[in-house]
Amino acid sequence: MEHGFTGSPHDFGRHEPLPLGHLPATRYPDTRVEALDRRFTARQGNAAIERIATGFRWAEGPVYFPAGRYLLWSDIPNNRILRWLEDDGHVSVFRAPSNYTNGNTRDRQGRLLSCEHDARRVTRTEFDGRITVLIDRYDGKRLNAPNDIVVASDDSIWFTDPGYGIDGPYEGHTAESEVGRHVYRLDPASGQATIVADDFVRPNGLAFSPDEKLLYIVDSGATHGGPAHIRVFDVDGGKLRNGRVFAEDFAPGFTDGMRVDSEGNVWCSMGWADPAEDGVRCYAPDGDLIGKIHLPETCANLCFGGAKKHRLFMAGSTSVYSVFLNTTGAV
Ligand code: MG
């Protein structure tokens, strides 16, 4: 298989890999990209969903680097970060061990920021390859297991710490929680952390609106008897105010990761319940569900990429999928 990821000594998966390329019975327009409202104009009629890589145990944290034209993502249980090259589809191991890294993002200078479950910290990979620890403790206590991360245009770093990585050995290791399951902001000048939200059951994916006046944050507490919803907050300097529920029609499934497009639509992952709902959802800024992308696997997270930011990459369980859209990522 030309672009396959099979037989590599780094391929710890032992199942039969899924076929790469367009999904079965693809015909334009791809009916797996579904408009529910006339405001959903993102579907590109002459494009289809592709599986671009497979053979992972649990794909998460996709991030695209335009300067190098590659996508990175985490394969959490296999303790590695993978890299896909846009020019020829080659997939290889970027980092192993990765300390069971989950969420990744790019900062405004183009550096990789990562949430490491096992080391219970947030790191930055410098241009020379050194790894800088941005935070591993709050008030002297260890973080739980940072999950997802986003950077504002003022270089402040916002991340969630729900602790899935210390719940058991699959995504990190079993450990006691020393701090609450909070959302944090790292100040760009001092590097100091402040808690910006402390009333989540399991804070997870997060994304700013294009003007950065709003911050959307997923609560995936449904995994532990809590809610399955997205909340939105007004961003007031370094603080969050006026939190309210933005979307809550996920049960019995839930959402995990999220990105916002340049028109302010919220794109979030979906899965863990009805297979017909697996994939991605698109919500208008007013909270209306306007579109869906149907994938053959549960989707954990997504990002926009490509030189023009109009290609959506989706981390879907054992595979990574992509589709070109008529919209662009906000960042
Ligand atoms: Mg997550």
Side-chain angles (χ1 to χ4, degrees), residues 22 26-35 40-50 267 292-293 304 308 310-312 322-328:
H22 289 163
T26 286
R27 178 185 173 275
Y28 293 163
D30 191 336
T31 53
R32 296 180 182 89
V33 183
E34 181 187 11
F40 185 76
T41 57
R43 183 167 77 172
Q44 165 56 250
N46 300 327
I49 297 169
E50 305 162 54
W267 297 73
K292 294 180 179 178
I293 296 177
F304 288 93
K308 296 189 281 189
H310 70 313
R311 189 172 188 178
L312 189 67
S322 85
V323 65
F324 287 92
L325 297 171
N326 278 334
T327 189
T328 57

PDB file of all heavy atoms in Angstrom, residues 22 26-35 40-50 267 292-293 304 308 310-312 322-328:
ATOM      1  N   HIS A  22     -10.371   7.467  -0.702  1.00  0.00           N
ATOM      2  CA  HIS A  22     -11.784   7.789  -0.571  1.00  0.00           C
ATOM      3  C   HIS A  22     -12.544   6.637   0.082  1.00  0.00           C
ATOM      4  O   HIS A  22     -12.208   5.470  -0.121  1.00  0.00           O
ATOM      5  CB  HIS A  22     -12.392   8.096  -1.935  1.00  0.00           C
ATOM      6  CG  HIS A  22     -11.931   9.392  -2.496  1.00  0.00           C
ATOM      7  ND1 HIS A  22     -12.067   9.725  -3.825  1.00  0.00           N
ATOM      8  CD2 HIS A  22     -11.320  10.450  -1.923  1.00  0.00           C
ATOM      9  CE1 HIS A  22     -11.571  10.931  -4.039  1.00  0.00           C
ATOM     10  NE2 HIS A  22     -11.114  11.387  -2.905  1.00  0.00           N
ATOM     11  N   THR A  26     -17.879   6.363  -2.889  1.00  0.00           N
ATOM     12  CA  THR A  26     -17.798   7.819  -2.959  1.00  0.00           C
ATOM     13  C   THR A  26     -18.306   8.320  -4.307  1.00  0.00           C
ATOM     14  O   THR A  26     -17.971   7.787  -5.353  1.00  0.00           O
ATOM     15  CB  THR A  26     -16.349   8.290  -2.759  1.00  0.00           C
ATOM     16  OG1 THR A  26     -16.009   8.145  -1.390  1.00  0.00           O
ATOM     17  CG2 THR A  26     -16.173   9.746  -3.166  1.00  0.00           C
ATOM     18  N   ARG A  27     -19.152   9.327  -4.267  1.00  0.00           N
ATOM     19  CA  ARG A  27     -19.625  10.003  -5.470  1.00  0.00           C
ATOM     20  C   ARG A  27     -19.820  11.471  -5.106  1.00  0.00           C
ATOM     21  O   ARG A  27     -20.271  11.784  -4.002  1.00  0.00           O
ATOM     22  CB  ARG A  27     -20.961   9.400  -5.934  1.00  0.00           C
ATOM     23  CG  ARG A  27     -21.542  10.088  -7.157  1.00  0.00           C
ATOM     24  CD  ARG A  27     -22.922   9.558  -7.510  1.00  0.00           C
ATOM     25  NE  ARG A  27     -23.505  10.341  -8.584  1.00  0.00           N
ATOM     26  CZ  ARG A  27     -24.175  11.476  -8.397  1.00  0.00           C
ATOM     27  NH1 ARG A  27     -24.368  11.946  -7.180  1.00  0.00           N
ATOM     28  NH2 ARG A  27     -24.660  12.140  -9.428  1.00  0.00           N
ATOM     29  N   TYR A  28     -19.480  12.367  -6.039  1.00  0.00           N
ATOM     30  CA  TYR A  28     -19.660  13.800  -5.758  1.00  0.00           C
ATOM     31  C   TYR A  28     -21.100  14.213  -5.987  1.00  0.00           C
ATOM     32  O   TYR A  28     -21.694  13.761  -6.969  1.00  0.00           O
ATOM     33  CB  TYR A  28     -18.745  14.642  -6.655  1.00  0.00           C
ATOM     34  CG  TYR A  28     -17.267  14.495  -6.377  1.00  0.00           C
ATOM     35  CD1 TYR A  28     -16.344  14.912  -7.337  1.00  0.00           C
ATOM     36  CD2 TYR A  28     -16.799  13.963  -5.185  1.00  0.00           C
ATOM     37  CE1 TYR A  28     -14.989  14.804  -7.110  1.00  0.00           C
ATOM     38  CE2 TYR A  28     -15.438  13.844  -4.947  1.00  0.00           C
ATOM     39  CZ  TYR A  28     -14.541  14.264  -5.918  1.00  0.00           C
ATOM     40  OH  TYR A  28     -13.195  14.153  -5.692  1.00  0.00           O
ATOM     41  N   PRO A  29     -21.697  15.060  -5.177  1.00  0.00           N
ATOM     42  CA  PRO A  29     -21.158  15.536  -3.911  1.00  0.00           C
ATOM     43  C   PRO A  29     -21.215  14.449  -2.845  1.00  0.00           C
ATOM     44  O   PRO A  29     -22.099  13.591  -2.897  1.00  0.00           O
ATOM     45  CB  PRO A  29     -22.088  16.700  -3.544  1.00  0.00           C
ATOM     46  CG  PRO A  29     -23.395  16.343  -4.189  1.00  0.00           C
ATOM     47  CD  PRO A  29     -23.036  15.629  -5.456  1.00  0.00           C
ATOM     48  N   ASP A  30     -20.277  14.497  -1.920  1.00  0.00           N
ATOM     49  CA  ASP A  30     -20.176  13.465  -0.895  1.00  0.00           C
ATOM     50  C   ASP A  30     -21.319  13.639   0.110  1.00  0.00           C
ATOM     51  O   ASP A  30     -21.384  14.630   0.835  1.00  0.00           O
ATOM     52  CB  ASP A  30     -18.828  13.593  -0.184  1.00  0.00           C
ATOM     53  CG  ASP A  30     -18.527  12.389   0.706  1.00  0.00           C
ATOM     54  OD1 ASP A  30     -19.480  11.707   1.124  1.00  0.00           O
ATOM     55  OD2 ASP A  30     -17.337  12.144   0.979  1.00  0.00           O
ATOM     56  N   THR A  31     -22.224  12.637   0.116  1.00  0.00           N
ATOM     57  CA  THR A  31     -23.384  12.750   1.011  1.00  0.00           C
ATOM     58  C   THR A  31     -23.004  12.591   2.477  1.00  0.00           C
ATOM     59  O   THR A  31     -23.837  12.829   3.351  1.00  0.00           O
ATOM     60  CB  THR A  31     -24.434  11.680   0.655  1.00  0.00           C
ATOM     61  OG1 THR A  31     -23.794  10.396   0.656  1.00  0.00           O
ATOM     62  CG2 THR A  31     -25.031  11.948  -0.709  1.00  0.00           C
ATOM     63  N   ARG A  32     -21.750  12.213   2.730  1.00  0.00           N
ATOM     64  CA  ARG A  32     -21.319  12.145   4.137  1.00  0.00           C
ATOM     65  C   ARG A  32     -21.110  13.542   4.722  1.00  0.00           C
ATOM     66  O   ARG A  32     -20.963  13.680   5.931  1.00  0.00           O
ATOM     67  CB  ARG A  32     -20.032  11.334   4.252  1.00  0.00           C
ATOM     68  CG  ARG A  32     -20.191   9.869   3.851  1.00  0.00           C
ATOM     69  CD  ARG A  32     -18.881   9.135   3.984  1.00  0.00           C
ATOM     70  NE  ARG A  32     -19.003   7.743   3.568  1.00  0.00           N
ATOM     71  CZ  ARG A  32     -18.829   7.305   2.333  1.00  0.00           C
ATOM     72  NH1 ARG A  32     -18.534   8.167   1.369  1.00  0.00           N
ATOM     73  NH2 ARG A  32     -18.959   6.031   2.040  1.00  0.00           N
ATOM     74  N   VAL A  33     -21.051  14.548   3.860  1.00  0.00           N
ATOM     75  CA  VAL A  33     -21.031  15.935   4.338  1.00  0.00           C
ATOM     76  C   VAL A  33     -22.451  16.460   4.185  1.00  0.00           C
ATOM     77  O   VAL A  33     -22.918  16.696   3.065  1.00  0.00           O
ATOM     78  CB  VAL A  33     -20.020  16.790   3.547  1.00  0.00           C
ATOM     79  CG1 VAL A  33     -19.965  18.208   4.110  1.00  0.00           C
ATOM     80  CG2 VAL A  33     -18.632  16.145   3.581  1.00  0.00           C
ATOM     81  N   GLU A  34     -23.150  16.596   5.292  1.00  0.00           N
ATOM     82  CA  GLU A  34     -24.590  16.801   5.283  1.00  0.00           C
ATOM     83  C   GLU A  34     -24.970  18.214   5.752  1.00  0.00           C
ATOM     84  O   GLU A  34     -24.599  18.619   6.855  1.00  0.00           O
ATOM     85  CB  GLU A  34     -25.264  15.779   6.209  1.00  0.00           C
ATOM     86  CG  GLU A  34     -26.772  15.881   6.266  1.00  0.00           C
ATOM     87  CD  GLU A  34     -27.408  14.978   7.307  1.00  0.00           C
ATOM     88  OE1 GLU A  34     -26.673  14.412   8.147  1.00  0.00           O
ATOM     89  OE2 GLU A  34     -28.640  14.846   7.298  1.00  0.00           O
ATOM     90  N   ALA A  35     -25.705  18.913   4.901  1.00  0.00           N
ATOM     91  CA  ALA A  35     -26.217  20.236   5.280  1.00  0.00           C
ATOM     92  C   ALA A  35     -27.584  20.074   5.956  1.00  0.00           C
ATOM     93  O   ALA A  35     -28.478  19.425   5.407  1.00  0.00           O
ATOM     94  CB  ALA A  35     -26.337  21.125   4.053  1.00  0.00           C
ATOM     95  N   PHE A  40     -25.284  26.328   6.185  1.00  0.00           N
ATOM     96  CA  PHE A  40     -24.128  25.436   6.057  1.00  0.00           C
ATOM     97  C   PHE A  40     -23.675  25.453   4.602  1.00  0.00           C
ATOM     98  O   PHE A  40     -24.201  24.740   3.752  1.00  0.00           O
ATOM     99  CB  PHE A  40     -24.493  24.019   6.496  1.00  0.00           C
ATOM    100  CG  PHE A  40     -23.315  23.076   6.510  1.00  0.00           C
ATOM    101  CD1 PHE A  40     -22.377  23.133   7.531  1.00  0.00           C
ATOM    102  CD2 PHE A  40     -23.137  22.138   5.504  1.00  0.00           C
ATOM    103  CE1 PHE A  40     -21.290  22.265   7.557  1.00  0.00           C
ATOM    104  CE2 PHE A  40     -22.048  21.267   5.518  1.00  0.00           C
ATOM    105  CZ  PHE A  40     -21.130  21.334   6.544  1.00  0.00           C
ATOM    106  N   THR A  41     -22.710  26.304   4.308  1.00  0.00           N
ATOM    107  CA  THR A  41     -22.206  26.457   2.937  1.00  0.00           C
ATOM    108  C   THR A  41     -20.806  25.876   2.790  1.00  0.00           C
ATOM    109  O   THR A  41     -20.140  26.118   1.798  1.00  0.00           O
ATOM    110  CB  THR A  41     -22.183  27.945   2.551  1.00  0.00           C
ATOM    111  OG1 THR A  41     -21.377  28.650   3.508  1.00  0.00           O
ATOM    112  CG2 THR A  41     -23.589  28.528   2.542  1.00  0.00           C
ATOM    113  N   ALA A  42     -20.385  25.111   3.784  1.00  0.00           N
ATOM    114  CA  ALA A  42     -18.997  24.625   3.798  1.00  0.00           C
ATOM    115  C   ALA A  42     -18.766  23.463   2.853  1.00  0.00           C
ATOM    116  O   ALA A  42     -17.628  23.177   2.507  1.00  0.00           O
ATOM    117  CB  ALA A  42     -18.611  24.223   5.217  1.00  0.00           C
ATOM    118  N   ARG A  43     -19.842  22.773   2.443  1.00  0.00           N
ATOM    119  CA  ARG A  43     -19.617  21.594   1.614  1.00  0.00           C
ATOM    120  C   ARG A  43     -19.081  21.961   0.239  1.00  0.00           C
ATOM    121  O   ARG A  43     -19.673  22.774  -0.474  1.00  0.00           O
ATOM    122  CB  ARG A  43     -20.907  20.777   1.444  1.00  0.00           C
ATOM    123  CG  ARG A  43     -20.643  19.509   0.628  1.00  0.00           C
ATOM    124  CD  ARG A  43     -21.767  18.532   0.695  1.00  0.00           C
ATOM    125  NE  ARG A  43     -22.884  18.922  -0.143  1.00  0.00           N
ATOM    126  CZ  ARG A  43     -23.941  18.160  -0.376  1.00  0.00           C
ATOM    127  NH1 ARG A  43     -24.027  16.981   0.187  1.00  0.00           N
ATOM    128  NH2 ARG A  43     -24.916  18.580  -1.152  1.00  0.00           N
ATOM    129  N   GLN A  44     -17.970  21.367  -0.125  1.00  0.00           N
ATOM    130  CA  GLN A  44     -17.391  21.497  -1.457  1.00  0.00           C
ATOM    131  C   GLN A  44     -17.944  20.353  -2.290  1.00  0.00           C
ATOM    132  O   GLN A  44     -17.692  19.180  -1.996  1.00  0.00           O
ATOM    133  CB  GLN A  44     -15.862  21.436  -1.364  1.00  0.00           C
ATOM    134  CG  GLN A  44     -15.139  21.192  -2.673  1.00  0.00           C
ATOM    135  CD  GLN A  44     -15.491  22.208  -3.740  1.00  0.00           C
ATOM    136  OE1 GLN A  44     -16.167  21.891  -4.724  1.00  0.00           O
ATOM    137  NE2 GLN A  44     -15.077  23.439  -3.528  1.00  0.00           N
ATOM    138  N   GLY A  45     -18.725  20.688  -3.316  1.00  0.00           N
ATOM    139  CA  GLY A  45     -19.437  19.669  -4.070  1.00  0.00           C
ATOM    140  C   GLY A  45     -18.559  18.663  -4.777  1.00  0.00           C
ATOM    141  O   GLY A  45     -18.968  17.531  -5.004  1.00  0.00           O
ATOM    142  N   ASN A  46     -17.352  19.083  -5.134  1.00  0.00           N
ATOM    143  CA  ASN A  46     -16.458  18.192  -5.870  1.00  0.00           C
ATOM    144  C   ASN A  46     -15.274  17.766  -5.019  1.00  0.00           C
ATOM    145  O   ASN A  46     -14.112  17.846  -5.438  1.00  0.00           O
ATOM    146  CB  ASN A  46     -15.969  18.872  -7.152  1.00  0.00           C
ATOM    147  CG  ASN A  46     -17.127  19.237  -8.058  1.00  0.00           C
ATOM    148  OD1 ASN A  46     -18.134  18.532  -8.100  1.00  0.00           O
ATOM    149  ND2 ASN A  46     -16.997  20.347  -8.758  1.00  0.00           N
ATOM    150  N   ALA A  47     -15.587  17.352  -3.801  1.00  0.00           N
ATOM    151  CA  ALA A  47     -14.556  16.848  -2.886  1.00  0.00           C
ATOM    152  C   ALA A  47     -15.190  15.774  -2.023  1.00  0.00           C
ATOM    153  O   ALA A  47     -16.403  15.762  -1.819  1.00  0.00           O
ATOM    154  CB  ALA A  47     -13.999  17.970  -2.017  1.00  0.00           C
ATOM    155  N   ALA A  48     -14.377  14.868  -1.528  1.00  0.00           N
ATOM    156  CA  ALA A  48     -14.893  13.760  -0.732  1.00  0.00           C
ATOM    157  C   ALA A  48     -13.987  13.489   0.457  1.00  0.00           C
ATOM    158  O   ALA A  48     -12.819  13.875   0.470  1.00  0.00           O
ATOM    159  CB  ALA A  48     -15.007  12.497  -1.592  1.00  0.00           C
ATOM    160  N   ILE A  49     -14.558  12.821   1.419  1.00  0.00           N
ATOM    161  CA  ILE A  49     -13.789  12.443   2.613  1.00  0.00           C
ATOM    162  C   ILE A  49     -12.778  11.365   2.243  1.00  0.00           C
ATOM    163  O   ILE A  49     -13.092  10.414   1.520  1.00  0.00           O
ATOM    164  CB  ILE A  49     -14.740  11.939   3.711  1.00  0.00           C
ATOM    165  CG1 ILE A  49     -15.687  13.071   4.146  1.00  0.00           C
ATOM    166  CG2 ILE A  49     -13.953  11.407   4.908  1.00  0.00           C
ATOM    167  CD1 ILE A  49     -16.819  12.592   5.027  1.00  0.00           C
ATOM    168  N   GLU A  50     -11.572  11.534   2.738  1.00  0.00           N
ATOM    169  CA  GLU A  50     -10.503  10.561   2.508  1.00  0.00           C
ATOM    170  C   GLU A  50      -9.965  10.063   3.851  1.00  0.00           C
ATOM    171  O   GLU A  50      -9.852  10.842   4.790  1.00  0.00           O
ATOM    172  CB  GLU A  50      -9.328  11.213   1.772  1.00  0.00           C
ATOM    173  CG  GLU A  50      -9.663  11.901   0.481  1.00  0.00           C
ATOM    174  CD  GLU A  50      -8.559  12.869   0.079  1.00  0.00           C
ATOM    175  OE1 GLU A  50      -7.397  12.457  -0.002  1.00  0.00           O
ATOM    176  OE2 GLU A  50      -8.881  14.047  -0.138  1.00  0.00           O
ATOM    177  N   TRP A 267     -16.939  23.878  14.933  1.00  0.00           N
ATOM    178  CA  TRP A 267     -16.817  22.510  14.425  1.00  0.00           C
ATOM    179  C   TRP A 267     -16.324  21.638  15.561  1.00  0.00           C
ATOM    180  O   TRP A 267     -15.262  21.896  16.142  1.00  0.00           O
ATOM    181  CB  TRP A 267     -15.824  22.460  13.262  1.00  0.00           C
ATOM    182  CG  TRP A 267     -16.245  23.260  12.062  1.00  0.00           C
ATOM    183  CD1 TRP A 267     -16.244  24.628  11.942  1.00  0.00           C
ATOM    184  CD2 TRP A 267     -16.750  22.753  10.823  1.00  0.00           C
ATOM    185  NE1 TRP A 267     -16.710  24.997  10.707  1.00  0.00           N
ATOM    186  CE2 TRP A 267     -17.027  23.870   9.995  1.00  0.00           C
ATOM    187  CE3 TRP A 267     -16.987  21.477  10.324  1.00  0.00           C
ATOM    188  CZ2 TRP A 267     -17.525  23.735   8.708  1.00  0.00           C
ATOM    189  CZ3 TRP A 267     -17.484  21.337   9.037  1.00  0.00           C
ATOM    190  CH2 TRP A 267     -17.746  22.458   8.241  1.00  0.00           C
ATOM    191  N   LYS A 292     -23.327  18.292   9.397  1.00  0.00           N
ATOM    192  CA  LYS A 292     -22.651  17.137   9.984  1.00  0.00           C
ATOM    193  C   LYS A 292     -21.680  16.551   8.960  1.00  0.00           C
ATOM    194  O   LYS A 292     -21.929  16.617   7.749  1.00  0.00           O
ATOM    195  CB  LYS A 292     -23.656  16.041  10.373  1.00  0.00           C
ATOM    196  CG  LYS A 292     -24.621  16.413  11.481  1.00  0.00           C
ATOM    197  CD  LYS A 292     -25.572  15.242  11.767  1.00  0.00           C
ATOM    198  CE  LYS A 292     -26.544  15.580  12.896  1.00  0.00           C
ATOM    199  NZ  LYS A 292     -27.499  14.469  13.153  1.00  0.00           N
ATOM    200  N   ILE A 293     -20.614  15.965   9.441  1.00  0.00           N
ATOM    201  CA  ILE A 293     -19.739  15.138   8.620  1.00  0.00           C
ATOM    202  C   ILE A 293     -19.783  13.739   9.209  1.00  0.00           C
ATOM    203  O   ILE A 293     -19.511  13.559  10.402  1.00  0.00           O
ATOM    204  CB  ILE A 293     -18.302  15.678   8.600  1.00  0.00           C
ATOM    205  CG1 ILE A 293     -18.263  17.059   7.936  1.00  0.00           C
ATOM    206  CG2 ILE A 293     -17.373  14.707   7.872  1.00  0.00           C
ATOM    207  CD1 ILE A 293     -16.891  17.705   7.942  1.00  0.00           C
ATOM    208  N   PHE A 304      -8.146  22.545  11.185  1.00  0.00           N
ATOM    209  CA  PHE A 304      -8.061  23.019   9.809  1.00  0.00           C
ATOM    210  C   PHE A 304      -6.586  23.072   9.408  1.00  0.00           C
ATOM    211  O   PHE A 304      -5.705  23.321  10.237  1.00  0.00           O
ATOM    212  CB  PHE A 304      -8.684  24.403   9.679  1.00  0.00           C
ATOM    213  CG  PHE A 304     -10.187  24.397   9.795  1.00  0.00           C
ATOM    214  CD1 PHE A 304     -10.799  24.607  11.024  1.00  0.00           C
ATOM    215  CD2 PHE A 304     -10.977  24.166   8.685  1.00  0.00           C
ATOM    216  CE1 PHE A 304     -12.190  24.594  11.136  1.00  0.00           C
ATOM    217  CE2 PHE A 304     -12.365  24.148   8.781  1.00  0.00           C
ATOM    218  CZ  PHE A 304     -12.975  24.366  10.018  1.00  0.00           C
ATOM    219  N   LYS A 308      -4.143  26.945   2.544  1.00  0.00           N
ATOM    220  CA  LYS A 308      -5.245  27.908   2.569  1.00  0.00           C
ATOM    221  C   LYS A 308      -6.229  27.649   3.709  1.00  0.00           C
ATOM    222  O   LYS A 308      -7.295  28.244   3.757  1.00  0.00           O
ATOM    223  CB  LYS A 308      -5.962  27.898   1.211  1.00  0.00           C
ATOM    224  CG  LYS A 308      -5.049  28.379   0.089  1.00  0.00           C
ATOM    225  CD  LYS A 308      -5.799  28.576  -1.211  1.00  0.00           C
ATOM    226  CE  LYS A 308      -6.026  27.251  -1.914  1.00  0.00           C
ATOM    227  NZ  LYS A 308      -6.576  27.445  -3.279  1.00  0.00           N
ATOM    228  N   HIS A 310      -8.272  25.406   4.342  1.00  0.00           N
ATOM    229  CA  HIS A 310      -9.621  24.956   3.978  1.00  0.00           C
ATOM    230  C   HIS A 310      -9.730  23.439   3.907  1.00  0.00           C
ATOM    231  O   HIS A 310     -10.671  22.896   3.338  1.00  0.00           O
ATOM    232  CB  HIS A 310     -10.060  25.580   2.651  1.00  0.00           C
ATOM    233  CG  HIS A 310      -9.318  25.060   1.454  1.00  0.00           C
ATOM    234  ND1 HIS A 310      -7.954  24.940   1.414  1.00  0.00           N
ATOM    235  CD2 HIS A 310      -9.763  24.655   0.239  1.00  0.00           C
ATOM    236  CE1 HIS A 310      -7.594  24.477   0.231  1.00  0.00           C
ATOM    237  NE2 HIS A 310      -8.675  24.293  -0.492  1.00  0.00           N
ATOM    238  N   ARG A 311      -8.756  22.756   4.501  1.00  0.00           N
ATOM    239  CA  ARG A 311      -8.806  21.301   4.563  1.00  0.00           C
ATOM    240  C   ARG A 311      -8.985  20.908   6.032  1.00  0.00           C
ATOM    241  O   ARG A 311      -8.203  21.315   6.895  1.00  0.00           O
ATOM    242  CB  ARG A 311      -7.520  20.705   4.003  1.00  0.00           C
ATOM    243  CG  ARG A 311      -7.574  19.198   3.828  1.00  0.00           C
ATOM    244  CD  ARG A 311      -6.336  18.689   3.094  1.00  0.00           C
ATOM    245  NE  ARG A 311      -6.488  17.283   2.756  1.00  0.00           N
ATOM    246  CZ  ARG A 311      -5.585  16.576   2.081  1.00  0.00           C
ATOM    247  NH1 ARG A 311      -4.466  17.163   1.671  1.00  0.00           N
ATOM    248  NH2 ARG A 311      -5.784  15.299   1.806  1.00  0.00           N
ATOM    249  N   LEU A 312     -10.043  20.144   6.299  1.00  0.00           N
ATOM    250  CA  LEU A 312     -10.328  19.718   7.672  1.00  0.00           C
ATOM    251  C   LEU A 312      -9.713  18.345   7.911  1.00  0.00           C
ATOM    252  O   LEU A 312      -9.952  17.408   7.134  1.00  0.00           O
ATOM    253  CB  LEU A 312     -11.841  19.663   7.907  1.00  0.00           C
ATOM    254  CG  LEU A 312     -12.283  19.437   9.359  1.00  0.00           C
ATOM    255  CD1 LEU A 312     -11.920  20.642  10.227  1.00  0.00           C
ATOM    256  CD2 LEU A 312     -13.791  19.170   9.422  1.00  0.00           C
ATOM    257  N   SER A 322      -9.624  13.338   6.151  1.00  0.00           N
ATOM    258  CA  SER A 322      -9.608  14.752   5.756  1.00  0.00           C
ATOM    259  C   SER A 322     -10.646  14.993   4.685  1.00  0.00           C
ATOM    260  O   SER A 322     -11.079  14.063   3.982  1.00  0.00           O
ATOM    261  CB  SER A 322      -8.225  15.170   5.254  1.00  0.00           C
ATOM    262  OG  SER A 322      -8.066  14.863   3.890  1.00  0.00           O
ATOM    263  N   VAL A 323     -11.058  16.256   4.585  1.00  0.00           N
ATOM    264  CA  VAL A 323     -11.961  16.679   3.517  1.00  0.00           C
ATOM    265  C   VAL A 323     -11.706  18.168   3.248  1.00  0.00           C
ATOM    266  O   VAL A 323     -11.463  18.937   4.178  1.00  0.00           O
ATOM    267  CB  VAL A 323     -13.438  16.416   3.896  1.00  0.00           C
ATOM    268  CG1 VAL A 323     -13.889  17.253   5.085  1.00  0.00           C
ATOM    269  CG2 VAL A 323     -14.357  16.627   2.700  1.00  0.00           C
ATOM    270  N   PHE A 324     -11.726  18.535   1.964  1.00  0.00           N
ATOM    271  CA  PHE A 324     -11.625  19.945   1.597  1.00  0.00           C
ATOM    272  C   PHE A 324     -12.990  20.596   1.727  1.00  0.00           C
ATOM    273  O   PHE A 324     -14.011  20.001   1.350  1.00  0.00           O
ATOM    274  CB  PHE A 324     -11.117  20.093   0.159  1.00  0.00           C
ATOM    275  CG  PHE A 324      -9.662  19.787   0.014  1.00  0.00           C
ATOM    276  CD1 PHE A 324      -9.231  18.505  -0.303  1.00  0.00           C
ATOM    277  CD2 PHE A 324      -8.712  20.778   0.198  1.00  0.00           C
ATOM    278  CE1 PHE A 324      -7.882  18.221  -0.433  1.00  0.00           C
ATOM    279  CE2 PHE A 324      -7.355  20.505   0.058  1.00  0.00           C
ATOM    280  CZ  PHE A 324      -6.935  19.217  -0.257  1.00  0.00           C
ATOM    281  N   LEU A 325     -13.018  21.814   2.267  1.00  0.00           N
ATOM    282  CA  LEU A 325     -14.279  22.512   2.523  1.00  0.00           C
ATOM    283  C   LEU A 325     -14.277  23.886   1.855  1.00  0.00           C
ATOM    284  O   LEU A 325     -13.225  24.418   1.490  1.00  0.00           O
ATOM    285  CB  LEU A 325     -14.485  22.681   4.035  1.00  0.00           C
ATOM    286  CG  LEU A 325     -14.630  21.397   4.847  1.00  0.00           C
ATOM    287  CD1 LEU A 325     -14.611  21.725   6.339  1.00  0.00           C
ATOM    288  CD2 LEU A 325     -15.927  20.661   4.474  1.00  0.00           C
ATOM    289  N   ASN A 326     -15.469  24.465   1.788  1.00  0.00           N
ATOM    290  CA  ASN A 326     -15.612  25.840   1.295  1.00  0.00           C
ATOM    291  C   ASN A 326     -15.559  26.839   2.444  1.00  0.00           C
ATOM    292  O   ASN A 326     -16.282  27.822   2.445  1.00  0.00           O
ATOM    293  CB  ASN A 326     -16.953  26.013   0.583  1.00  0.00           C
ATOM    294  CG  ASN A 326     -16.886  25.509  -0.845  1.00  0.00           C
ATOM    295  OD1 ASN A 326     -15.816  25.493  -1.455  1.00  0.00           O
ATOM    296  ND2 ASN A 326     -18.024  25.098  -1.366  1.00  0.00           N
ATOM    297  N   THR A 327     -14.751  26.544   3.417  1.00  0.00           N
ATOM    298  CA  THR A 327     -14.549  27.479   4.511  1.00  0.00           C
ATOM    299  C   THR A 327     -13.126  27.310   4.986  1.00  0.00           C
ATOM    300  O   THR A 327     -12.434  26.372   4.595  1.00  0.00           O
ATOM    301  CB  THR A 327     -15.552  27.239   5.659  1.00  0.00           C
ATOM    302  OG1 THR A 327     -15.447  28.307   6.608  1.00  0.00           O
ATOM    303  CG2 THR A 327     -15.279  25.923   6.364  1.00  0.00           C
ATOM    304  N   THR A 328     -12.673  28.236   5.810  1.00  0.00           N
ATOM    305  CA  THR A 328     -11.299  28.196   6.286  1.00  0.00           C
ATOM    306  C   THR A 328     -11.271  28.271   7.804  1.00  0.00           C
ATOM    307  O   THR A 328     -12.175  28.837   8.430  1.00  0.00           O
ATOM    308  CB  THR A 328     -10.477  29.372   5.725  1.00  0.00           C
ATOM    309  OG1 THR A 328     -11.122  30.590   6.092  1.00  0.00           O
ATOM    310  CG2 THR A 328     -10.368  29.283   4.217  1.00  0.00           C
TER     311      THR A 328
END
